[in-house]
Amino acid sequence: MRGAKSAKWVAGAIVVALAATACGGSDSGSDKNKGNASGKPAGYVSIDVGEPQKPLIPADTNESLGSYVIQSLFTQLLDFDSDGNIVYTNAESVETEDSKTWTVKLKSGWKFHNGEAVTAQSYVDAWNWYANVKNKQQNAFWFSDIKGYGDVHPDKGEPKADKMSGLKVVDETTFTIELTEKVPYFNYKLGYATWAPLPKVFYDDPKAFGQKPVGNGPYKFEKWNHKKLIQVAAYDEYQGPNKAQNKGIQFKNYATVEAAYQDVVSGNLDIIRQVGPTDLPKYKQDLGKGAIEQPYAAIQTLVPAFYTDTFKDMDPKVRQGLSMAIDRDTITKTVLNNTRTPATSFTPPQVKGNQDLGTDVFTYNPEKAKQLITEGGGVPGNKIMIQYNTDGGHKEWVTAACESIRKATGVECVGDAKPDFPTDLEARDNDQVKSMYRGGWVADYPVNVNFIKELYHSKAEANNGRFKDAEIDKMMAEADKANSLEDAVKGYQEVEKKLLDKMPAIPLWYYRINGGHADTVDNVKVDFHGDLELTGVTVK
């Protein structure tokens, strides 16, 4: 996003954070919960962004906390404006005549922060490295459309090659991308930060680079005090449209969103991405003109772990019943203080192809819920657990959802709290979810595909519930062969209708950012992905 973010899990509950993101029972006024930095340089902007899950490598970042930092340090070929339209950043153009072979022309004169020129080779080498199965990048799947991907990333065994045959350098600022099959929306995918280029120094020591990255973005890396803060400085020679209007950013880690909020109110923190449930009723009064409220392209879901005894071989009717046991209207109005909108589909309104599925499966109906669960054979053990991160403001609504399920159906439901978002993600990545988890997904690109293929294809990296369905995979493959973006979107609308029969997840509500800033800064705006556009923030 702004350099689109990576396929991205939201950390916060009540907002972007999904991820990417906090509740907790600690005293928000205690010293240990205050900003963890000893101060910030003049002209810098501070924001509550916690510890990234992984080292700072574009293709290994799959959640909103790390995404904020990656977007500040790296710029990919293109991005999106507030309406989801393509804006070229490092690219001069991305064109195709058949949706299968794409030609990329770069803007000349771009440099990495160490002075190295950003060239076509910078992109081709990076993409080949990202895709190689040996390098174990979380987002390697994003390169699977490119011809030769199977040679560098086989399902089993060692790679047969170290380069994808579909990538060809034409000259210093031009390269071509040949896909295995035509993909009408491929240029939109390039707006995701995972497609960012890498400098030559990266290959000398990727592990060390992840701790002190050298990018081509609006900010250059300064320091990373783990679990405390990450600091970046404005890069004066940056040539993109989103040049920094401040001198730098401090991404500060807080134990709870309540602690971060107190620091914003007191002026010790400039920006908070999402206000927690406790402070939502009063944040507009506290922050005045600094309060921010705006819908964005993200959705909250409950995702079954299909490898567990609870959901393995379960009849979809049971999951439909659990969905109808959740009183979305009441929870969004009360617990979430009208900061969410009940979902009517698997995609948010801001993406191409969003549709109202016209179903009652997302409508609270205790009688029908109990009926469907009974017809489907019931819930094994008559109990489910919902995993969530306690640093994201999720405890209240998870508790409410569980109570709703319990009262409507008699199925026991409890929360499974993880101390922070990285711990939550590690449990998902390592197939350690006990029952189901809180899934929050924010758009990487504004097409329904991003909320369907990236989450429910059997080989998608973000498919942490391990949902597998041959019929769904086949329908996606057919939609990808469409002759136009519009036809591909329609094809995925049909896939979404079929998802309703399979229920790989239970959609809950669409996100809205409810954050704010102190009177220490100005020009704080929200982008298409719900991220705060930090490059445009000015310091008073």
Side-chain angles (χ1 to χ4, degrees):
M1 306 157 61
R2 271 85 10 255
K5 4 183 119 150
S6 31
K8 205 174 39 278
W9 287 116
V10 182
I14 240 177
V15 87
V16 122
L18 84 264
T21 85
C23 191
S26 57
D27 175 11
S28 63
S30 66
D31 290 341
K32 68 178 181 180
N33 283 331
K34 290 294 183 183
N36 289 309
S38 58
K40 63 181 172 70
Y44 279 54
V45 174
S46 58
I47 181 172
D48 72 314
V49 171
E51 183 79 354
Q53 179 197 16
K54 300 276 189 176
L56 297 171
I57 298 174
D60 209 24
T61 299
N62 198 16
E63 42 78 31
S64 60
L65 303 180
S67 175
Y68 255 101
V69 185
I70 289 293
Q71 291 178 76
S72 72
L73 298 172
F74 294 88
T75 296
Q76 63 286 345
L77 297 171
L78 56 89
D79 203 343
F80 306 103
D81 64 19
S82 58
D83 295 320
N85 298 312
I86 287 176
V87 174
Y88 289 117
T89 47
N90 198 177
E92 185 71 47
S93 62
V94 179
E95 299 177 339
T96 185
E97 293 182 355
D98 59 5
S99 295
K100 188 175 182 180
T101 299
W102 299 74
T103 299
V104 176
K105 291 186 180 297
L106 301 178
K107 294 174 181 175
S108 60
W110 275 57
K111 295 183 182 299
F112 287 101
H113 301 150
N114 62 356
E116 178 188 330
V118 179
T119 66
Q121 196 71 51
S122 306
Y123 279 91
V124 170
D125 287 348
W127 295 2
N128 280 321
W129 193 91
Y130 294 152
N132 195 304
V133 68
K134 289 184 175 181
N135 299 322
K136 301 178 180 179
Q137 296 297 283
Q138 287 193 110
N139 293 332
F141 176 75
W142 278 72
F143 302 89
S144 61
D145 296 319
I146 301 173
K147 184 178 179 181
Y149 174 80
D151 292 332
V152 302
H153 199 111
D155 290 337
K156 294 181 180 179
E158 293 290 305
K160 299 176 182 178
D162 58 4
K163 297 178 181 178
M164 291 181 281
S165 58
L167 298 178
K168 304 290 185 184
V169 173
V170 177
D171 57 40
E172 190 167 279
T173 57
T174 309
F175 66 101
T176 58
I177 310 164
E178 183 182 354
L179 309 181
T180 305
E181 303 282 352
K182 58 186 177 183
V183 180
Y185 54 86
F186 184 74
N187 54 334
Y188 279 84
K189 296 183 71 171
L190 297 174
Y192 179 23
T194 205
W195 299 87
L198 293 170
K200 294 175 183 177
V201 67
F202 168 83
Y203 306 98
D204 295 337
D205 191 342
K207 185 175 181 180
F209 183 96
Q211 299 300 313
K212 296 182 179 181
V214 177
N216 67 324
Y219 297 92
K220 58 185 179 181
F221 179 84
E222 286 195 311
K223 63 180 178 180
W224 185 356
N225 296 335
H226 284 276
K227 296 188 177 181
K228 292 184 178 181
L229 69 78
I230 295 175
Q231 185 170 299
V232 298
Y235 178 52
D236 293 337
E237 297 180 45
Y238 183 69
Q239 297 187 40
N242 54 331
K243 190 176 179 67
Q245 301 303 304
N246 47 64
K247 293 185 178 181
I249 304 291
Q250 279 194 340
F251 301 99
K252 299 175 66 174
N253 190 16
Y254 284 83
T256 68
V257 287
E258 289 80 11
Y261 180 76
Q262 289 303 315
D263 266 8
V264 170
V265 172
S266 65
N268 293 322
L269 177 70
D270 294 320
I271 304 171
I272 184 170
R273 293 170 303 124
Q274 180 60 43
V275 176
T278 302
D279 299 305
L280 277 175
K282 61 178 182 177
Y283 87 104
K284 291 182 180 178
Q285 179 179 345
D286 285 349
L287 301 182
K289 293 181 179 180
I292 299 171
E293 180 176 34
Q294 182 177 318
Y296 67 100
I299 189 171
Q300 183 95 348
T301 60
L302 294 181
V303 185
F306 288 90
Y307 52 81
T308 62
D309 292 338
T310 304
F311 290 100
K312 186 186 301 181
D313 302 322
M314 175 187 280
D315 189 317
K317 283 186 177 181
V318 178
R319 297 189 293 277
Q320 291 176 333
L322 291 173
S323 175
M324 298 185 76
I326 300 171
D327 191 348
R328 295 166 178 77
D329 285 339
T330 298
I331 294 173
T332 54
K333 289 176 181 175
T334 57
V335 179
L336 296 174
N337 206 51
N338 286 311
T339 60
R340 297 289 180 273
T341 303
T344 58
S345 67
F346 290 85
T347 64
Q350 295 85 355
V351 303
K352 298 180 189 297
N354 169 255
Q355 60 185 336
D356 186 334
L357 291 173
T359 176
D360 62 355
V361 172
F362 305 145
T363 303
Y364 182 59
N365 186 330
E367 184 176 333
K368 184 73 176 293
K370 187 177 294 186
Q371 176 187 334
L372 285 169
I373 290 174
T374 301
E375 290 178 358
V379 175
N382 202 45
K383 180 178 180 179
I384 59 173
M385 302 177 72
I386 300 175
Q387 177 179 300
Y388 67 97
N389 51 302
T390 60
D391 64 341
H394 303 291
K395 179 180 180 180
E396 290 84 351
W397 72 257
V398 168
T399 301
C402 272
E403 181 63 19
S404 183
I405 291 171
R406 189 164 44 242
K407 290 179 66 175
T409 67
V411 174
E412 182 63 21
C413 178
V414 296
D416 179 17
K418 301 301 179 185
D420 52 40
F421 195 41
T423 303
D424 175 27
L425 291 172
E426 288 299 322
R428 303 186 202 178
D429 290 344
N430 296 313
D431 293 355
Q432 295 172 346
V433 176
K434 298 172 184 175
S435 181
M436 64 196 318
Y437 63 86
R438 169 204 75 79
W441 190 257
V442 59
D444 298 303
Y445 56 97
V447 183
N448 59 355
V449 184
N450 187 224
F451 285 81
I452 298 176
K453 187 173 185 178
E454 259 66 70
L455 292 177
Y456 307 122
H457 190 283
S458 62
K459 293 184 178 180
E461 181 60 34
N463 179 2
N464 291 131
R466 311 309 176 203
F467 171 75
K468 294 182 179 180
D469 190 280
E471 181 182 12
I472 293 295
D473 283 357
K474 183 178 180 181
M475 290 180 70
M476 290 184 190
E478 289 301 315
D480 285 344
K481 296 176 184 177
N483 291 320
S484 66
L485 172 62
E486 291 72 23
D487 287 344
V489 167
K490 289 178 182 178
Y492 273 91
Q493 286 181 318
E494 293 305 309
V495 176
E496 186 181 15
K497 292 175 183 177
K498 182 59 65 173
L499 288 180
L500 192 60
D501 297 332
K502 312 283 187 175
M503 291 299 287
I506 298 174
L508 296 178
W509 39 76
Y510 304 127
Y511 272 81
R512 192 182 310 162
I513 185 169
N514 296 92
H517 61 87
D519 59 9
T520 51
V521 294
D522 225 335
N523 298 310
V524 183
K525 298 180 181 179
V526 181
D527 70 10
F528 169 78
H529 312 265
D531 283 345
L532 294 162
E533 298 181 336
L534 300 181
T535 54
V537 177
T538 55
V539 178
K540 291 185 179 179

